[in-house]
Amino acid sequence: MAEKTIVTQPCKVSPMHYFGRLLRTWLYRNWAWLALIVVLLVMLSVHNPLFIYVGLMVVFLVFPLILYYLWFVYALHPDCRASILTKQVELDERGITCRFEDDRTETIAWSRVIDVQRSSSDLVFYLSKYVFFILPCDSFESPDDLEHFLKKILEPALNNQK
């Protein structure tokens, strides 16, 4: 028996929301390096105050370059674009199928999903370390559709991967 296909309302995620999630993910995974640099610069500036200038260069030159890197390498990835474009999403045992306004379709197979995180407003499907697809929870027709998707489609699909 074929599982029920869940079809969402047309939805999209703002680019700033997407980039905010990307930046939080990157900072969560790399906070130790940033803390090490700050501690090192503070310790060195005690011995030589000129290291304060090095710290300012890091803040105003290096950190913006990290933001540019995240934007151009990860946020402009084709799988990430699918999150911010207006689409209608079909969820079934095959995967996530996005139908865009220009009649294009893209499918993300469950085998490509390495992790799923649920927040109060979103479902985040991680496709790699920093590439993910965001589906707003309010795009589901009803809370029952969301629960059906989580229990009857997503859970078995992810269990079959393991």
Side-chain angles (χ1 to χ4, degrees):
M1 181 176 141
E3 284 290 324
K4 175 182 168 185
T5 298
I6 304 289
V7 179
T8 68
Q9 299 171 2
C11 61
K12 69 178 185 174
V13 173
S14 76
M16 289 307 295
H17 178 74
Y18 188 91
F19 190 70
R21 168 73 68 169
L22 175 62
L23 187 59
R24 281 191 306 273
T25 302
W26 187 86
L27 287 172
Y28 177 77
R29 292 185 175 160
N30 295 291
W31 69 268
W33 292 108
L34 296 174
L36 179 67
I37 291 170
V38 169
V39 168
L40 183 65
L41 287 172
V42 168
M43 290 174 45
L44 290 172
S45 67
V46 168
H47 296 293
N48 186 347
L50 293 176
F51 279 101
I52 293 172
Y53 295 120
V54 175
L56 290 172
M57 285 189 281
V58 167
V59 168
F60 292 108
L61 294 176
V62 175
F63 193 68
L65 291 177
I66 291 171
L67 294 177
Y68 291 138
Y69 174 77
L70 290 174
W71 180 259
F72 284 108
V73 172
Y74 297 112
L76 294 180
H77 193 276
D79 290 323
C80 298
R81 272 192 339 226
S83 291
I84 63 173
L85 296 175
T86 302
K87 73 230 158 257
Q88 193 167 27
V89 179
E90 294 177 7
L91 303 156
D92 56 26
E93 71 276 350
R94 291 176 289 135
I96 304 166
T97 303
C98 300
R99 298 193 185 284
F100 299 99
E101 291 178 322
D102 62 357
D103 294 328
R104 263 185 325 113
T105 61
E106 281 183 35
T107 300
I108 301 171
W110 293 122
S111 60
R112 293 188 53 211
V113 176
I114 60 172
D115 189 23
V116 178
Q117 290 183 354
R118 181 179 179 187
S119 70
S120 59
S121 61
D122 301 316
L123 290 170
V124 182
F125 301 91
Y126 283 87
L127 307 177
S128 73
K129 198 173 184 179
Y130 300 116
V131 175
F132 43 85
F133 175 79
I134 299 176
L135 181 62
C137 289
D138 63 0
S139 65
F140 286 88
E141 295 285 337
S142 69
D144 292 337
D145 277 354
L146 176 59
E147 290 306 315
H148 176 80
F149 165 68
L150 292 172
K151 289 187 175 37
K152 302 287 186 187
I153 298 174
L154 182 62
E155 198 172 295
L158 295 179
N159 287 337
N160 287 340
Q161 277 182 270
K162 296 177 181 173

